[in-house]
Structures are given as structure tokens and as C-alpha cells.
Amino acid sequence: MSTEATVELALDSPLNNRKREPAQTKPSAPGPSLTVTGPSTLKPPPAKTFEEVCPDDPEEEEKDAFELNIAVTNPEKVGDGMNAYMAYKVSTQTNLPMFKCKTYTVKRRFSDFLGLYEKLSEKHSQNGYIVPPPPEKSILGMTKVKVGKEDSSSVEFVERRRASLERYLQRVVSHPLLLQDPDVREFLEKDELPRAVSTQALSGAGFLKMINRATNAVSKMTIKMNESDIWFEEKLLEVESEDQHLRKLLSVVETLVNHRKELSSNTAMFAKSVAMLGSSEDNTALSRALSQLAEVEDKIEQLHQDQACNDFFILAELFADYIRLLTAVRGSFDHRMKTWQRWQDAQTTLQKKRENEAKLLWANKPDKLQQAKDEISEWESKVTQYERDFERVSATVRKEVLRFEKEKAMDFKNQLVRYLETLLHSHQQLIKYWEAFLPEAKAIA
Amino acid sequence: MDAGIEDNSNQDFSGYDVRVTDAAQNGDTFVYVIKSQQISSDTEYRVEREFEDVEWLHHCLLTQEGVTGLHGIIFPPLPAKPGPSLSNSEAKTKKKIESLAMVDDWQMYCRALEEYLHLVTAHPVLVKNPAVHSFLKHREPPIKTKVKKGIFNKLTQAVGELRKEHHKDIDDFFQNERDSNLTLTAFTKAAAERTKRSQINFPVALCSSTEIAIACGHFSTALHLGIGQDDDPADYAFAKMCLKLSEVLDTVKKNFEKVAENDLNTLGFNLELYSRFQDAEKEMLFRRTCKLVDVETANKNLGQAKPQKKAAMEDIKKAADTEFDEISGMAKVEIQRYHRERVRAFQKALIELSDSQLQTARECCVELKQQLAEFKQLCA
């Protein structure tokens, strides 16, 4: 499924096959690769045909593929009690010239990832870039791990977090601008990172609150903004609608996961009662058939369990990721608003300064006049700059959104194909089980 | 094809082919449509019967006169009474299943009655009961007198009777049978209960997969509405994907439904029937045990009888002995027949189970393969 394609535009880089969990049944295709062209000038995106957007053409030439593979593995508990934390191994494999070595292996903890996000967001969000958000903090989940609870829910929690951190990093490095950020390189390369301290604000609830506050503040501005480009208005509405639907889908998938788990335990109990029935049965052929049936039902129970896992790890996490990402998208719109507001405010100030100058002229106060003139030219240049900023940020937001949507489509496609494959595999197994059992049933009489 | 009233001089006891083709709620009662045809004849009969008529038939079977060793017969269990005779919690659960799974209850009732009638008409002794003949052939339902309860339902009688249940047997064959009946009944009931439990769960899982399919459908519709001509092809592809996903989830939902149905119709039905049948066997064994107690009591009384009562006691003892022997004779045959039939029916159910589940899994695979191929073709 990996497509290697080179795209002309620097800000456009398709993210191909994401690294998948070991549980996948599909034969492993060549690892995820990322094609990145070197830094180049910004160009408006050429009108893309459908074919160009989905480069599945096998004749596409394989240029020198610049590769960067990232894996997050080996979660290990470090320390004891409430000060314990999980350390994850981050392995990077690359032939990009900007890196000194071909491979790196470093240990990172969750707060390091949050710290990385904070730095990137500080630098780039205000310019309209969509900075991928990290996974959420979970006090409950981590507490269980810290106190050493080895049950299936904490194992699941750790695995969920590991996979989520991996996807986070992959999204970061697939962004051509972020990849070039020295903080990213430091994150991947440096052995020891200074402990990120101010990540409290980025706990799940805090993070969302921050965004929501910003969004609410800005949505009041939306009404006032004279939108010159209807594209932004429409896009924002789309994003909000998608967000709603994804939330609905997520909650429904979570219900499905729970039901499958219930189904699984019911099947296990049924298997037991069939086994008991078989053992109390006098007729030997029937007895054997019944214990075979009990085994089949046991295997089916396992299938249900596995499918519930897939429902969750693939489908639910996909929806959850995109709900978080859409928040980041809304954030970039907000930043655009802010730059607009700044420009408007500057214009207002300029106007005031001009009025002030006029007043001074009329009141004939030549000494203050020079100052007034200076201020006017200062604000004139500010207005020009802020206007340019606004246009630049608008262009960036637009490009980012288009890039995001392309990645989203591909991401969904990959994950949904993966999900479908697990469903298919599950049913193929079912066929095998029943095919094996049928002759046993026939052999009774 | 409707036959009028036939006279009873037609003493044809050959096997029947019985089908219960329909059932409907008629006000308060449930009415079954029963079609039957005797193997030996071409005439097909069609009658309508209420559950009361079935109960009457059952009563007639239990109280048939002039049959040697009647007590030794394992009577096919009466099917469950349809409708509000269920206990409160059962009714609530049933309601839940009905509303969520939309399983056609009436089909289950029909099948249960059909099975009962098969078992009755296949029984070499019971088929000769004229009540069977009139039940299947007469247009008018039989005249019912008030059913005298309790002659044969000794197990449900006074506590004093229950004591006899554990009375030691004189015959190893029967003692073993009584013991194994106990364990087998318990396990069969447990397994039947578990299948029912799964039936409750399946509809709930079904419900949530329906919900997902619907939510996905809404999503896809919303996306499609937003797509214009000039729009980003990625948007278009995304919308298509969500549509495909809702199709897949629909397949999953239908699969849940089918799997539950298969379980219910094959193994579920069989376990339910045989847990009742086990009870019927238990009742028969109990009747025989009670007769054994009577025999032993008669012997004891004879031994202790005063000379003037000796002759009367002797007669009582002889009657008890004869009855006991007749019952035991019939019982032995019945038991062997019962187990043969039980194993055969179980095998049939297991074959049907694996056949149907195999079929369902194959169908699902075909659909999923198709959908996967379509998905892969969708460009992202």
C-alpha cells in the first residue's frame, strides 16, 4: 500500500502508510516512507486532477526517495510509586541529509512529547500552521500504571498511548515545515532532553479548554469579520460539522466495543456449559462432538475479543485522533482571525493618529506635529505589515487545510482498509472453525 | 383441500406429515394454522387451533384409557404457551428482544408446536389416540371438559410425594437412568439458558452496530451535501469512504443478526426442547418410582395383614405388581427410544448449526471482500 510520490510543492507531502501495530495480519509492505523535497519557495498549488491527488499509478517514477521512519516502542516503567513514569523508545531511521546519522534511538517520556508540542505550537500556530496535537493526558490511566496494576486495562492503556504517540510523531515529521524545525530534530536525536515543566496546561482538559476559550472568543469576532474570501467561512462550517459527526461516531464505536466484549464473555460461558453437557453425555460420539463444539465456541470467543480490540485500536482511535486534529484546524482559523483583528486594530489606530494630526494642524501646535507625523508613518508601515501578515497567514491556512484534507483522506483510507482486513480475517477464521467442526457433527450417528 | 368432518371409522394409524404454517394473534388468543397429511393418503387437512386445544390434546394423551403401561411413556413436552403467561422479568426481556432484534416470535411458536405434533404422531402408541385424529382433521375444535389437573403431574404435587423421588431403585438400569437424567437435565437447562442469554446480547450488539451504520450514513450524507464541483478531490474521496464505511457496518450488522438467528434456530431450539423433554423423562421415572413404592408398601402390608384381610391385600399386591411390570416394560422401551431420538435430534441440530454458521460466514466474507476491493480502489 505504500505509494512513493514526489510532489512539486514543498508544503505538499503525502503521508504514506503509517507504521502499524504488530497485530496486523496483512503481509508487511515496505515500511512507511516519506518523500520530502528540500526547502523551496512557496508556490500556489497547481490545480490538481483526481489522478494527481491519488498517486496510485505504478508507473510513477521512484525518484531518490528521502526516507524517514519513526517507531515508538518498548514502553518501560521507570521508577516506583507515584514518581514512576513510562519511558518509550523512539527509533528514527532516515537518509535525509539534514540528520547527521542514519539511525537514532532515544528514550522519551510522555511529558517530552507534550513539551515538543508546546514549543512547536508557540512558534508556528500563530502563522496559521496546523500543529498536530499530542495525545491527551490521563490521570486515571497513569495512576493505575504507577501503582503497578498489571491488569488488562492498564496494559491496554499503555499500548493505546504508545500507538498514539507514534502516530503523533509521524504526523509531525510528515509536515514539511515542522520537520525542519530544530526542536523536532533535537527531540529525535538528543540523548537527554531537559525536562519539560510547563506541560500542566496541556493536560487533556486544559488543552481543550484553552482551545475552546480561544474559539469562543473568536467566534464572537466571526460575526464582525468582513470575510472577503467565502472559502474560509464555508470551510469552518465544514470542519465544525465534521467534528460533530466524528464525535457521534466515536461514542457509537465505543458502545460497539463494549458490546463485543460482552458477547465474548457470553460466548465463553456458553462454551463452558456445552463442555459440561458433553462430559455428562453417555453417547461417546455425541459427547466428543459437544466437546469439539465447546472448543469452537472458545475460539470464537477469542475472535470476538480480537475484533473488539481492532474496533477500538483502529476505528475508535482514528476518530479520536481526528477530533483532536480538527481542534487544531479550528485553532489555525482562530489565529488567522487574530491577525485580521490586529490589522483592523492597526488601521483604527492609524485613523486616530491621522485625526490627531489634523487636530494639531488646526490647533497650530507645530512642536507636537513632528511627533504626530512620525507616529503616522510608524502606523502606516504597521498597517501594511499587518495586512501582509494577514494575507500570508490566510494563504498558509488555506494550504494547510488542503494538505490536512489530503492526509486525512489517505489516513482514513489506510486505517479503514486495515479495519476491513481485520473483519475479513475474522470471518475467514470463522469459516475454518465451522468447516472443521461440521464433519465432527456428521460423525455422531 | 379442506376436508369436512371425517367419521371415526377410518382407523388409519400411519404416520403424519404435519406443518404449522401460520399463527396470528386473534384478540386475546393465539391461533395456529395446522396442515397435515397422512402418509397413506392424499388428503390434506387444514385446521385452526388455539393453544387451549393443544392443552386439551395433551390432557387426552395423558389420560388415555386402555393403554398398557401408559405411565411408562415419556410424553413429548407441551410447547411453551405464547403470550403473557411469561413471568414478569421474562416478559420484559422478551419485549426487549422483540423490539431490538425483531425476531419473529410467531415463527418460533409455530415451530415449537410443529415439533410437538411430530413427536406425538411419530410415537407408536400415542398416534393411536383418537384425540390426535380429531385434533388434526376435524374442522371444529374438540369439545373440552374441564381438565383435571394432577393425575400425571405427580412431581408438582404435595411435598409428601416428592420424598419418593429419591427412593432407591431395585433395578440398576433404572437407577442409572434416574441419576444420569438428573445431571443431564441440569446441564441441558444451563446450556439452554446460556443460548438465551446470548440471544439477549446479540440484539444489543446489533443495535449498536445499527447505530454506527446510521451515524456513518449521516456523516456521509452531510459530506456529500458539502461537496461542490470545484471542491478538493480529497473531500470527495473522503465522502465516498464514509459512505463505504456505512455499507461495511451494515454488513456487520446483518451478520450479527444472522449469527444470532442461526444459534437460536438450531442449537437453541434443540436445547430448549430437550430440557423440557428431560423433565418429561424425569416425570415418567418418578411415576414408576411411585409405583415401586406402592409395590413395596403392598408387600409390606401383605406381610403385616391380618388373616381376614390377607386375600384383599393379596389382590392389591398382584395389581400393583402387574402395573409396575407394565410400566417398567414400557419405560425400558421408551428410554431406549428416547435416547436414540435425542442423539439423532442433537446431531441434526449440530449439523444445522455448523451448516448455517458456515454459510453465514461465507456470505459475509464474500461481501467484505467485495467491499474491501471497492475501498482499495477509492483514491485518497
Side-chain angles (χ1 to χ4, degrees):
Chain A
M1 284 276 299
S2 74
T3 35
E4 311 214 332
T6 51
V7 189
E8 283 162 40
L9 194 67
L11 287 182
D12 253 355
S13 44
L15 177 73
N16 302 305
N17 246 348
R18 304 200 185 266
K19 251 231 158 78
R20 47 225 175 286
E21 274 99 41
Q24 175 156 48
T25 55
K26 194 169 121 72
S28 41
S33 59
L34 183 71
T35 311
V36 178
T37 57
S40 64
T41 53
L42 292 169
K43 277 189 266 177
K48 286 210 177 291
T49 60
F50 201 69
E51 285 68 45
E52 279 178 342
V53 170
C54 41
D56 255 325
D57 189 353
E59 287 167 15
E60 190 94 15
E61 81 272 34
E62 302 219 355
K63 281 195 185 161
D64 299 331
F66 288 116
E67 275 199 27
L68 181 80
N69 298 354
I70 293 197
V72 174
T73 54
N74 293 45
E76 259 173 16
K77 186 166 161 202
V78 177
D80 264 319
M82 287 314 282
N83 289 327
Y85 62 90
M86 274 302 197
Y88 299 89
K89 187 164 93 173
V90 178
S91 326
T92 311
Q93 238 188 311
T94 179
N95 57 10
L96 287 175
M98 71 175 78
F99 289 91
K100 296 183 220 92
C101 301
K102 292 221 180 229
T103 60
Y104 293 97
T105 305
V106 293
K107 286 244 184 232
R108 295 285 179 255
R109 55 186 292 184
F110 186 66
S111 53
D112 294 334
F113 290 82
L114 295 184
L116 176 65
Y117 169 77
E118 197 190 315
K119 289 185 198 142
L120 293 176
S121 181
E122 239 177 69
K123 281 188 258 178
H124 304 291
S125 295
Q126 65 206 20
N127 294 322
Y129 288 97
I130 300 172
V131 179
E136 279 147 16
K137 257 194 182 184
S138 164
I139 298 176
L140 180 63
M142 265 325 278
T143 310
K144 273 201 209 163
V145 174
K146 284 181 188 180
V147 301
K149 221 168 178 254
E150 283 284 323
D151 66 354
S152 61
S153 71
S154 51
V155 167
E156 206 176 89
F157 171 79
V158 171
E159 171 54 28
R160 184 181 172 188
R161 176 163 278 193
R162 181 209 66 78
S164 168
L165 289 172
E166 193 175 86
R167 289 194 305 272
Y168 166 65
L169 279 184
Q170 286 168 340
R171 287 194 178 104
V172 167
V173 299
S174 75
H175 193 301
L177 182 80
L178 296 179
L179 177 61
Q180 310 204 21
D181 189 308
D183 281 323
V184 171
R185 250 175 296 147
E186 186 183 76
F187 183 91
L188 295 174
E189 295 177 349
K190 210 162 174 193
D191 276 329
E192 293 260 341
L193 278 188
R195 175 86 198 278
V197 281
S198 55
T199 54
Q200 308 309 78
L202 293 168
S203 68
F207 176 72
L208 284 175
K209 236 187 275 175
M210 191 169 79
I211 295 294
N212 285 336
R213 242 184 282 128
T215 317
N216 287 338
V218 171
S219 53
K220 290 184 198 133
M221 278 158 56
T222 319
I223 310 167
K224 288 196 228 146
M225 176 164 175
N226 219 345
E227 188 57 81
S228 52
D229 193 343
I230 198 140
W231 184 92
F232 289 94
E233 210 172 284
E234 284 179 348
K235 223 16 129 172
L236 193 57
L237 286 174
E238 265 178 48
V239 165
E240 272 157 15
S241 155
E242 254 185 53
D243 177 74
Q244 266 186 329
H245 280 113
L246 281 176
R247 283 178 201 272
K248 179 77 171 83
L249 274 172
L250 181 61
S251 78
V252 171
V253 168
E254 283 171 347
T255 327
L256 178 66
V257 170
N258 287 334
H259 287 146
R260 262 209 227 267
K261 285 189 176 163
E262 262 179 60
L263 204 59
S264 161
S265 67
N266 276 344
T267 311
M269 290 197 287
F270 179 65
K272 276 202 192 77
S273 61
V274 169
M276 300 228 287
L277 197 56
S279 63
S280 72
E281 176 58 56
D282 283 331
N283 183 302
T284 40
L286 180 57
S287 170
R288 198 179 62 238
L290 284 173
S291 55
Q292 299 279 38
L293 179 63
E295 276 177 35
V296 169
E297 293 288 338
D298 261 333
K299 289 188 197 147
I300 291 178
E301 181 233 336
Q302 191 56 49
L303 277 184
H304 281 314
Q305 282 275 47
D306 294 344
Q307 192 55 49
C309 266
N310 286 323
D311 285 347
F312 181 74
F313 278 110
I314 303 179
L315 219 49
E317 289 286 85
L318 176 69
F319 296 150
D321 274 1
Y322 276 88
I323 290 171
R324 272 203 301 279
L325 279 164
L326 285 178
T327 311
V329 172
R330 289 225 291 291
S332 76
F333 277 80
D334 294 345
H335 282 109
R336 175 175 172 268
M337 295 287 195
K338 286 205 189 100
T339 46
W340 181 83
Q341 193 59 50
R342 195 167 64 150
W343 173 33
Q344 297 304 305
D345 289 345
Q347 282 183 315
T348 313
T349 312
L350 176 62
Q351 183 63 17
K352 284 208 188 93
K353 298 290 177 194
R354 288 205 171 118
E355 284 168 6
N356 190 34
E357 187 200 29
K359 267 197 218 131
L360 290 174
L361 274 171
W362 193 79
N364 200 12
K365 289 203 177 128
D367 43 333
K368 293 208 179 133
L369 207 56
Q370 185 54 44
Q371 185 192 357
K373 282 203 199 291
D374 287 339
E375 283 178 0
I376 287 177
S377 39
E378 180 196 340
W379 280 96
E380 272 173 349
S381 60
K382 274 196 183 161
V383 165
T384 317
Q385 188 201 327
Y386 292 166
E387 183 179 0
R388 267 199 229 116
D389 281 347
F390 173 69
E391 277 163 12
R392 173 179 52 85
V393 169
S394 294
T396 304
V397 168
R398 197 175 190 136
K399 251 186 304 263
E400 283 283 278
V401 167
L402 290 175
R403 187 188 151 269
F404 169 75
E405 287 184 337
K406 212 162 80 164
E407 274 207 15
K408 177 182 74 175
M410 238 193 274
D411 210 358
F412 264 73
K413 178 186 170 184
N414 290 339
Q415 295 298 81
L416 292 180
V417 164
R418 227 179 113 203
Y419 179 67
L420 256 183
E421 283 173 349
T422 64
L423 275 179
L424 186 58
H425 174 79
S426 194
H427 283 93
Q428 284 167 335
Q429 283 300 102
L430 260 180
I431 290 178
K432 284 205 191 103
Y433 297 155
W434 289 116
E435 272 176 352
F437 178 71
L438 192 53
E440 287 293 332
K442 289 192 170 150
I444 296 174
Chain B
M1 291 284 253
D2 268 50
I5 297 177
E6 299 244 327
D7 58 53
N8 284 344
S9 55
N10 184 3
Q11 299 280 305
D12 179 2
F13 298 128
S14 61
Y16 282 83
D17 174 29
V18 184
R19 278 162 295 125
V20 179
T21 56
D22 204 353
Q25 196 85 17
N26 184 12
D28 259 350
T29 54
F30 221 79
V31 177
Y32 299 94
V33 172
I34 303 165
K35 294 192 182 154
S36 60
Q37 185 180 354
Q38 275 189 285
I39 309 241
S40 55
S41 119
D42 274 338
T43 338
E44 200 190 67
Y45 299 89
R46 181 193 180 283
V47 296
E48 287 181 10
R49 294 285 180 258
E50 295 179 3
F51 191 74
E52 274 184 346
D53 302 322
V54 182
E55 283 177 321
W56 174 254
L57 171 63
H58 196 70
H59 167 77
C60 292
L61 294 174
L62 296 179
T63 53
Q64 188 175 12
E65 306 217 339
V67 177
T68 319
L70 184 73
H71 295 218
I73 294 181
I74 303 174
F75 290 93
L78 199 55
K81 183 171 180 162
S85 67
L86 297 166
S87 73
N88 232 357
S89 57
E90 268 181 60
K92 278 200 208 122
T93 324
K94 223 171 196 304
K95 233 182 146 56
K96 200 175 177 194
I97 298 181
E98 275 173 51
S99 59
L100 290 176
M102 295 157 284
V103 167
D104 284 314
D105 261 347
W106 68 266
Q107 280 180 329
M108 289 303 283
Y109 291 134
C110 283
R111 187 156 167 221
L113 180 62
E114 198 176 275
E115 189 64 31
Y116 172 75
L117 293 172
H118 275 149
L119 289 166
V120 167
T121 54
H123 196 289
V125 174
L126 297 177
V127 74
K128 294 184 184 149
N129 191 317
V132 171
H133 173 94
S134 72
F135 180 90
L136 289 174
K137 294 181 179 173
H138 291 188
R139 177 177 274 136
E140 292 306 316
I143 304 159
K144 305 177 271 280
T145 61
K146 197 140 173 32
V147 175
K148 256 192 287 182
K149 263 201 186 281
I151 322 168
F152 273 57
N153 289 340
K154 290 211 162 189
L155 275 173
T156 51
Q157 267 188 331
V159 178
E161 296 282 325
L162 284 178
R163 190 170 22 92
K164 297 180 189 170
E165 200 182 331
H166 301 295
H167 187 94
K168 195 148 188 341
D169 213 299
I170 52 170
D171 186 333
D172 272 344
F173 172 78
F174 283 102
Q175 186 61 55
N176 287 339
E177 189 59 27
R178 281 160 64 187
D179 293 337
S180 67
N181 172 280
L182 249 116
T183 36
L184 202 60
T185 308
F187 290 142
T188 313
K189 277 197 175 9
E193 194 50 40
R194 288 272 165 262
T195 356
K196 269 197 254 177
R197 202 73 68 79
S198 303
Q199 303 326 309
I200 298 171
N201 192 257
F202 264 118
V204 183
L206 194 143
C207 195
S208 55
S209 55
T210 311
E211 276 180 28
I212 297 184
I214 293 177
C216 220
H218 284 160
F219 193 8
S220 145
T221 310
L223 290 168
H224 272 105
L225 287 176
I227 304 289
Q229 272 181 305
D230 319 312
D231 253 299
D232 196 348
D235 275 352
Y236 180 74
F238 184 67
K240 283 233 119 163
M241 262 190 276
C242 290
L243 185 62
K244 281 269 161 261
L245 180 63
S246 72
E247 281 172 20
V248 167
L249 294 168
D250 207 47
T251 306
V252 169
K253 168 198 122 177
K254 279 192 285 198
N255 183 255
F256 267 133
E257 248 175 356
K258 210 66 200 19
V259 169
E261 242 180 70
N262 294 340
D263 271 354
L264 194 61
N265 289 343
T266 59
L267 200 55
F269 183 81
N270 183 70
L271 287 171
E272 181 66 32
L273 172 64
Y274 274 89
S275 60
R276 288 159 174 272
F277 226 148
Q278 285 292 115
D279 279 341
E281 193 200 15
K282 186 177 182 187
E283 279 176 18
M284 181 280 279
L285 291 168
F286 184 68
R287 289 195 292 270
R288 182 184 158 279
T289 309
C290 290
K291 213 21 123 178
L292 175 61
V293 169
D294 286 349
V295 163
E296 291 178 356
T297 313
N299 280 339
K300 196 171 74 177
N301 288 345
L302 182 62
Q304 295 172 343
K306 298 204 173 71
Q308 61 268 45
K309 295 264 183 153
K310 265 262 175 2
M313 287 295 127
E314 188 77 46
D315 284 340
I316 293 176
K317 174 191 147 60
K318 276 216 188 86
D321 279 343
T322 318
E323 268 190 67
F324 181 70
D325 287 338
E326 285 174 351
I327 292 178
S328 297
M330 174 67 91
K332 211 158 203 162
V333 171
E334 279 285 281
I335 287 171
Q336 283 160 343
R337 192 172 157 273
Y338 171 70
H339 282 301
R340 260 200 324 270
E341 191 42 45
R342 186 177 63 83
V343 170
R344 193 200 61 82
F346 221 140
Q347 179 196 30
K348 182 157 169 273
L350 289 174
I351 292 176
E352 282 174 354
L353 173 71
S354 37
D355 255 340
S356 59
Q357 296 294 32
L358 190 54
Q359 168 98 346
T360 303
R362 282 188 179 138
E363 281 169 4
C364 193
C365 267
V366 165
E367 265 194 63
L368 286 176
K369 268 201 188 115
Q370 166 80 7
Q371 285 164 345
L372 181 60
E374 287 172 7
F375 229 99
K376 283 184 172 166
Q377 275 182 359
L378 278 180
C379 285

